[in-house]
């Protein structure tokens, strides 16, 4: 079958205690933590906006969206955080990450359906799970993170 050799390249990052990945084709760039300006009446998970080379980028806090605890133990670890700038169907937005990991290549055959109870985040946001070195790499489906109405509201904030 042709699909057997299909591979994904994922940009991986840590949020709380879990390792997540998004398709590299959806990632525009990764930037260091910047000052974010809050926006009045924004959804609870929108941290605010920031200016990236004259482009206004909304910043999404997935800790709030998924109700995850942030685990920062040392000051140096705070410096490892940043924003992953995503390109969702032509619209750019950033997600806050605790720590960038690396780009990994995974075989489509290794991507399994998510277990029912997985760190409290809704399985509807998960494209699949890859078992790696005694832990799971959770592959996020960024298009499902926001429904069309939410996405439109976030875009209009800019």
């Amino acid at each position: 079958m042709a699909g057997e050799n299909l591979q994904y390249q994922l940009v991986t990052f840590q949020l709380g205690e879990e390792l997540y990945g998004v398709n590299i084709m959806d990632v525009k760039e990764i930037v260091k933590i910047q000052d974010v300006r809050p926006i009045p009446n924004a959804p609870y998970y929108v941290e605010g906006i920031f200016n990236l080379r004259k482009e206004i980028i909304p910043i999404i806090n997935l800790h709030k969206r998924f109700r995850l605890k942030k685990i920062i133990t040392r000051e140096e670890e705070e410096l490892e955080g940043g924003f992953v700038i995503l390109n969702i169907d032509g619209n750019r937005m950033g997600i806050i990450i605790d720590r960038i990991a690396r780009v990994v290549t995974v075989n489509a055959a290794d991507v399994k359906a998510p277990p029912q109870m997985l760190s409290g985040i809704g399985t509807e946001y998960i494209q699949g799970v890859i078992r790696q070195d005694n832990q799971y790499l959770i592959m996020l489906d960024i298009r499902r993170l926001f429904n069309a109405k939410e996405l439109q509201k976030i875009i209009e904030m800019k």
Side-chain angles (χ1 to χ4, degrees), residues 4-16:
E4 284 177 23
N5 297 329
L6 184 66
Q7 291 186 319
Y8 298 106
Q9 277 204 303
L10 304 177
V11 173
T12 63
F13 52 89
Q14 195 162 353
L15 271 183

Side-chain angles (χ1 to χ4, degrees), residues 24-30 52-53 55 57 84-87 92:
I24 198 167
M25 301 307 286
D26 294 325
V27 176
K28 183 178 184 295
E29 63 187 297
I30 297 158
L52 178 66
R53 294 184 294 280
E55 185 177 3
I57 309 279
V84 174
I85 308 300
L86 300 171
N87 191 351
R92 293 206 174 86

Side-chain angles (χ1 to χ4, degrees), residues 117-149:
M117 282 308 295
L118 189 66
S119 73
I121 81 167
T123 52
E124 68 270 21
Y125 306 129
I126 301 173
Q127 194 166 333
V129 175
I130 302 101
R131 185 122 175 102
Q132 282 191 326
D133 311 323
N134 299 326
Q135 74 172 25
Y136 287 111
L137 167 58
I138 302 166
M139 192 171 162
L140 291 176
D141 184 336
I142 62 163
R143 279 161 188 78
R144 285 199 206 144
L145 283 178
F146 315 99
N147 64 39
K149 203 171 171 183

Side-chain angles (χ1 to χ4, degrees), residues 50-65:
F50 87 105
N51 190 327
L52 178 66
R53 294 184 294 280
K54 298 189 176 144
E55 185 177 3
I56 302 300
I57 309 279
I59 297 297
I60 309 302
N61 187 326
L62 291 183
H63 294 89
K64 291 179 182 173
R65 178 76 179 182

Side-chain angles (χ1 to χ4, degrees), residues 70-87:
K70 202 169 178 169
I71 55 155
I72 297 294
T73 52
R74 299 187 323 268
E75 205 174 295
E76 311 88 79
E77 288 181 359
E78 191 115 5
L79 302 174
E80 296 172 11
F83 303 145
V84 174
I85 308 300
L86 300 171
N87 191 351

Side-chain angles (χ1 to χ4, degrees), residues 30-37 47 49-53 59 81-83 85 96:
I30 297 158
V31 296
K32 287 278 182 213
I33 290 282
Q34 312 273 334
D35 281 335
V36 175
R37 198 174 76 224
E47 203 68 19
I49 52 174
F50 87 105
N51 190 327
L52 178 66
R53 294 184 294 280
I59 297 297
F83 303 145
I85 308 300
I96 301 171

